[in-house]
Amino acid sequence: TSPTGTRKRTTQTFALRNVAGDGDCMFHAVALATASSMGLPLTTNNDLLRAMASQTRATVAQILEHSGNLHVEGHRCVTARELVASGEREVDV
């Protein structure tokens, strides 16, 4: 807020980017957003971007394979198994 108590507005710019629909598209999108926020000029064909997406996918898989609890939305606690089952129900697996 400013000294007068009014909020200053900031302008944010967003860019629409295509990622390959190869089953890893969510991880490619996260990697691209991360790289972009770091100021890295990456394209979807970049080796570093593919490595970031692969590492993100591996980390998520490792977390979901364990039987521990996950904190969802900062206040709700569920087991990894419950989270995966919920996702499966959403896509009728």
Side-chain angles (χ1 to χ4, degrees), residues 5-18:
T6 59
R7 297 188 90 161
K8 292 183 179 181
R9 291 187 177 199
T10 57
T11 302
Q12 295 181 352
T13 304
F14 298 93
L16 193 58
R17 307 266 176 126
N18 288 323

Side-chain angles (χ1 to χ4, degrees), residues 60-77:
V60 169
Q62 183 180 19
I63 290 168
L64 293 178
E65 286 175 349
H66 288 83
S67 60
N69 292 327
L70 302 171
H71 296 278
V72 180
E73 298 175 355
H75 63 280
R76 187 170 157 221
C77 187

